[in-house]
Each structure stands twice: as C-alpha cells, then as structure tokens.
Amino acid sequence: MTRAEPLVLGIETSCDETGIGIVRGRTLLSNTIASSMDEHARYGGVVPEVAARAHLEALQPAIEAAVAEAGITLDELDAVAVTSGPGLAGALMVGVGAAKALAVSLGKPLYAVNHLVGHIAADILTGDEVEYPTIALLVSGGHTSLLLVRDLTTDVELLGETMDDAAGEAFDKIARILGLPYPGGPEIDRAAAAGDPNAIRFPRGLSRASDMAEHRYDFSFSGLKTAVARWVEQSSLTPGEGASEASPETGPGAPGGPSAADVAASFREAVVDVLVTKALDACARHGVPRLLLGGGVVANRRLREVALDRAEAAGVTVRIPPLSLCTDNGAMIAALAAQLISSGRRPSTLAFGADSTLPVTEIQISEEAP
Amino acid sequence: MILGIDTSLGTAVAVVDLDGVVRAEASSDNPLGHAEVIGDLLQAALADAARGPLGQTGAIEPVTLTHVAAGMGPGPFTGLRVGIAAARAFALGRGLPVVAVPSHDAAALEVFLASALTDPFAEVPRFGIVTDARRREFAYTVYDGIDDDGLPVRVAGPALTPRDEIDTVLAGFGAERRDAVSISAAMLATVAARAVAAGRGLTGPEPLYLRAPDVTLPRAPKRVTA
Ligand SMILES: [Zn+2]
C-alpha cells in the first residue's frame, strides 16, 4: 500500500444519499451520489425504511459508476472505508454489510469511520491545505454540530449540537407550515428572496445569557418552529398559498403587514443568525480564527453570505468546500480513511456495527489491536 | 464453488461445491446483529473452505468461487438487507454473478433432503415453511414435491399472515406446518447450484419484503394557538 497516497473507496449510507467516493490520498477521483430524496418528498421528510431500501438498490450501480469514473479497478484499491455512524441505523447497516463483504472479497483492509468527521475531511479534497485547529459547523437535515478540530485523525471535540431538530429539518417543517414542498431549504430560500429578514423578530434558541453556562454552543429550533407556526396562524397567512406568490402589496398577510416572503426571510434569518453567532463565538473563545462549514444546509445562500460577512468582520477565515463535498458523500469517507492510513493507523476489525449515535470523538471505529 | 449468504433470520454463510458438497459453514442464530457478524463469518467460511470439504483439514487450496447465492427473504427487512448488500458487494469484488434465492427454498430443500436420508422413496406430504415476520405475523411458502432439477416446487407464497391464522391458512392449502428458526446457507447455496445447473432463475432481484415501507403521510401541521 502506498501509505502517502492510498487509493481508497468510501461508502456512505447514513441518511438518504448513497455515496461512493474514490480518492487517492488528497486527490478526488470520483464522487458518485444516488439520492432517494425524491422518494421522500411526498412524506415531507426522510423515511428510514424508504431510504434503506433505496440504498440497497443503489449501492452496486453506484460502486460500478464510481470505479468507471475514477478509471481504476477494484483490485487496485488499497482499502475500503465505510460510515459506521452516526445516522439512521437501518440505512447505515446496508453500507456496513456491503463494505465488509467488499473488503473480504478483495482481501483489502477496511476502515470504519465517523460520518461527522468525514464532513471535516471533505475539505482536504479541495486541493488547498486545511489548517488546524479549526472550528467546524456541520449543518444538515440529520445533524447540527459545532466542533473544535485540533487534528483530523486524533482530536475532534464536540462543542455543541442540536437539542431537538437539525437545522435542515427545521427548514423542512417550516416549509410545510408555509405550504411549500420538500426539501424545505431551497424552497424557503426562494420564498425568502423577496422578503424582509428583519420584518419579524423570531426567537434565537438557546441564546439567552442564562443559556450560556450549559448550552453556549448547543442549538434548539423547536421554539422557533412554534413561533413561526403561531405567527402564521394568527396572521391571515394560509398554509397552502406558496410564499413565492406573495408580495408585500398583495400578500395574504394583514394589509401592510408582513407577507409570507417576510415570514420565510425572517425565519431563515433566525436560523442563520444563531448558527453563525455561535460558530464565531466558538472561534473567539477558543482563539481559533478559522471556521469550516459542512453539511447540506451550506447550500443555503444566506448562510454562506452571513457567515462570510460576519467572519470577515471578526477576522475569521471561512472555508466552504464545494457543495458536492458538503452534502453527504462517499468521497469524504474515503478521504478520512486515507488520512488515517497515512498517519499509520491500523484497519478496523470486521466486528463493528452500525452506531446511530456514534460520538464525534470516535473518529475511527474498532481499530485492530497491534 | 458457490458462496451462500442468508440474513433472513440469523446470519448464515457457507461455501458449497457445485455438486453440493459442503466445504464450509459459519453462522450466528442471533436474530439481530447481522451487520456486526457478517464480515467475520465470511472470512471464517472462506478460510475453512480452503481446507477442503467440511470436516476435513486438507492442504490449503484456492477457493475458486463461481457464484454468490443471496437469500432474498422473506425476513425482517433491516437484517435481510445486510446479507443481500453483502452478497452483491462480494460478487462485485470478484466479478461473480449473484443468484437470488427465496430463503424458504433453502428450508424446503432441507426438508426433502432430511426425508431422503431416512427413506429415499418416501413421499414428502405438501408442507408450508413458516418463519417469523415480526409484527404478529408469519411468512410462509407452501411446497409440494421436488422437481426434475432437484428444486422444491413452490405452490403458494411467499406471503404473510397473522400468527393466529397460520394454521387455518396452511390447512386451506392442505399443507403441514414446518417452522424454520434458521436458514442454512449451505442449503441456500445448494438450491442456487441446482438452479444454475438447470439454467433457471428462482426469483427477481428485489428482496421479498412482502410489506410496503412503514410510513405515515404528513398531516396538516398541528395548531399551536388555541
Ligand atoms: Zn451529514
């Protein structure tokens, strides 16, 4: 095995994307993603059983497509990598079963890794040297986590995470309240375009002085969700009337009052504000002038804008990998394993399972005894 | 040689020669933990198979697999998928074809072979293989005899029925009840070997879920104001 530049295939099935990535060291060779998002649309959120069924059907074609795109053969691989957790248990198990069998079939070492740390590892594929320590804010439909990364392969600390919904889930739920389709993120972005982000001051969860002792870096979006629902019910905004149709003059809100676009923009602002405020607070208090963003919610234009603006004012450098590496993908899993291999880590045993609540401190799972 | 993998009940892996000689078997009866054990069982079965037919410890010889047999269920979905995913990935790694086998076919063949051991000419009366399907239901498949290819003849199912109705259902088919608490991967691979020899397919590539995914369609958002 070329320890400096190992050729690794990564399998990621923690949520609704079947991701197969192939990397050589820090070089991305393929990032193949099959998403079952469309199948979840009618349910308004990811249905675990639907996701797991889709993974099983997508895996083999995705591996074949990734191998073809990378221009390699499976025999050439130095290792196979897989997400062990956190994520949806039944979905994770499809990837774990496939990864173990592929590794045994090929006689290659297997690395079981942490999904969240994989999101951080995605950045090393951008061809730019990432510097540690860094604060990392990972926001998706499945997680909202604030991390202090001192070293990618040995030292990742969880500073805080969501106490209830993930930020992406909050977008989906508010979209439903506003009568917008799933997934909610892009819909709310579109609806918010014509709105005033300061029209309504929605609550910022866990941001009071009294929250700072226990939950300084934690997130909560359930209060915000309730506040938006209450606002929509009390105004004459009717769910079902897409906010995109609303304009300040003709919107279904009280005459002269905020429109559906204003609600969407104000909601989005509340989410973005609390995410960016806590991330930059972490940078300041830990003396780390670097912030890495990851997760599918990074697709949100307003989040990127506010993060870049406020970080600049705070003297913090922001790294945002391309969106294809921010959403769940197998390349980030392969990239993390490649770094573990380069740092001399032994493979995982074959005895690990799927761990839906795997803590972020467990970067590699079940490393072989020396 | 055929590698058989079934996770419709426990986790079972076996390597069988094309003529049906079992070279290796490794299994766990645990109805959970399929993802945990599948890798070690695969590795153990392949290592054993290299030592010759089951029970012998000859010189290590290469295990030349030609097919991978996948138990397609019915069975609890989460575990079932682990074995199918493993079978497909293993086959992909070696460039082998996957033979999809209804898991009950393996249990049925076992019934016929056991009967033939005691009396080669005995007629096996029509029977139903019955396995756990969770949620107070059983999965069953009714078999009647074995055909010229040596494959059990399915006459009904696989299908689901409430547990307290299984006896009535099987009586309706005139079938004896045969509960299976585990599926033998060696039997599964043997069924696959016979199907390959006969040039027949046994089931499609889809797992035999028999149940639509459990989903609740979203209701209108709950009111938060009185
Ligand atoms: Zn993720």
Side-chain angles (χ1 to χ4, degrees), chain B residues 26-46:
Chain B
S27 66
S28 154
D29 285 341
N30 187 346
L32 303 170
H34 306 86
E36 278 87 343
V37 301
I38 188 77
D40 284 320
L41 293 179
L42 278 169
Q43 206 160 47
L46 291 170

Side-chain angles (χ1 to χ4, degrees), chain A residues 97-360:
Chain A
K100 287 182 176 181
L102 185 61
V104 172
S105 172
L106 296 168
K108 306 288 184 183
L110 177 62
Y111 286 78
V113 305
N114 188 302
H115 173 84
L116 291 173
V117 183
H119 274 299
I120 302 161
D123 189 56
I124 65 177
L125 297 172
T126 57
D128 199 359
E129 204 64 28
V130 55
E131 212 184 315
Y132 300 112
T134 184
I135 298 294
L137 173 66
L138 307 180
V139 202
S140 76
H143 41 75
T144 302
S145 307
L146 196 53
L147 313 172
L148 169 56
V149 188
R150 293 190 190 87
D151 183 287
L152 179 68
T153 58
T154 59
D155 191 354
V156 180
E157 184 189 337
L158 178 71
L159 299 177
E161 61 190 335
T162 183
M163 313 301 291
D164 38 64
D165 293 340
E169 250 178 311
F171 273 95
D172 293 337
K173 289 179 177 175
I174 295 306
R176 268 184 58 201
I177 289 171
L178 293 174
L180 299 169
Y182 172 87
E187 293 293 334
I188 291 201
D189 244 11
R190 204 168 301 134
D196 172 7
N198 301 312
I200 310 155
R201 172 78 191 178
F202 285 126
R204 271 63 170 163
L206 298 179
S207 297
R208 291 198 200 91
S210 57
D211 295 320
M212 289 301 115
E214 292 276 326
H215 296 294
R216 183 170 200 110
Y217 302 123
D218 289 326
F219 304 93
S220 168
F221 300 106
S222 67
L224 169 61
K225 188 182 68 189
T226 309
V228 176
R230 182 174 294 129
W231 203 95
V232 169
E233 284 169 25
Q234 286 175 344
S235 71
S236 48
L237 284 180
T238 348
E241 285 181 31
S244 51
E245 298 158 19
S247 72
E249 298 81 36
T250 62
S259 66
D262 291 337
V263 176
S266 301
F267 158 73
R268 184 181 64 175
E269 201 65 8
V271 175
V272 166
D273 181 27
V274 80
L275 290 173
V276 174
T277 301
K278 289 191 179 232
L280 291 177
D281 180 36
C283 290
R285 287 177 62 99
H286 287 89
V288 176
R290 285 172 292 275
L291 173 62
L292 171 68
L293 300 185
V297 176
V298 169
N300 193 287
R301 200 174 42 79
R302 184 69 185 151
L303 174 60
R304 296 197 307 268
E305 253 170 39
V306 172
L308 289 168
D309 276 5
R310 289 215 227 146
E312 191 180 12
V316 170
T317 313
V318 181
R319 298 182 68 96
I320 309 177
L323 188 59
S324 60
L325 289 171
C326 280
T327 51
D328 292 347
N329 67 85
M332 69 188 198
I333 300 306
L336 175 54
Q339 291 304 299
L340 289 166
I341 292 166
S342 296
S343 68
R345 295 278 275 271
R346 291 177 298 278
S348 301
T349 71
L350 290 173
F352 66 93
D355 185 346
S356 58
T357 59
L358 185 69
V360 76

Side-chain angles (χ1 to χ4, degrees), chain A residues 42-44 47-50 52-53 56-57 59-60 63-64 74-75 89-90 93-102 104-107 173 176-177 225-227 229-231 233-234 239 349-354, chain B residues 5 34-40 42-43 46 77-82 84-95 98 205-207 209-226:
Chain A
R42 55 192 286 243
Y43 308 114
V47 181
E49 176 62 22
V50 172
R53 288 185 182 195
L56 180 62
E57 297 321 313
L59 258 177
Q60 190 178 330
I63 295 173
E64 286 169 332
L74 288 169
D75 288 340
M93 279 183 223
V94 176
V96 169
K100 287 182 176 181
L102 185 61
V104 172
S105 172
L106 296 168
K173 289 179 177 175
R176 268 184 58 201
I177 289 171
K225 188 182 68 189
T226 309
R230 182 174 294 129
W231 203 95
E233 284 169 25
Q234 286 175 344
T349 71
L350 290 173
F352 66 93
Chain B
I5 301 177
H34 306 86
E36 278 87 343
V37 301
I38 188 77
D40 284 320
L42 278 169
Q43 206 160 47
L46 291 170
F77 310 153
T78 307
L80 176 63
R81 273 190 291 265
V82 172
I84 299 172
R88 289 177 180 171
F90 191 99
L92 189 59
R94 303 254 177 126
V98 174
E206 293 282 312
Y209 286 122
L210 308 183
R211 215 181 253 148
D214 214 15
V215 286
T216 36
L217 281 166
R219 286 159 303 179
K222 256 185 281 173
R223 282 194 72 82
V224 295
T225 46

Side-chain angles (χ1 to χ4, degrees), chain B residues 86-116:
Chain B
R88 289 177 180 171
F90 191 99
L92 189 59
R94 303 254 177 126
L96 303 174
V98 174
V99 183
V101 180
S103 300
H104 286 182
D105 281 14
L109 183 64
E110 198 166 5
V111 169
F112 290 113
L113 294 186
S115 164

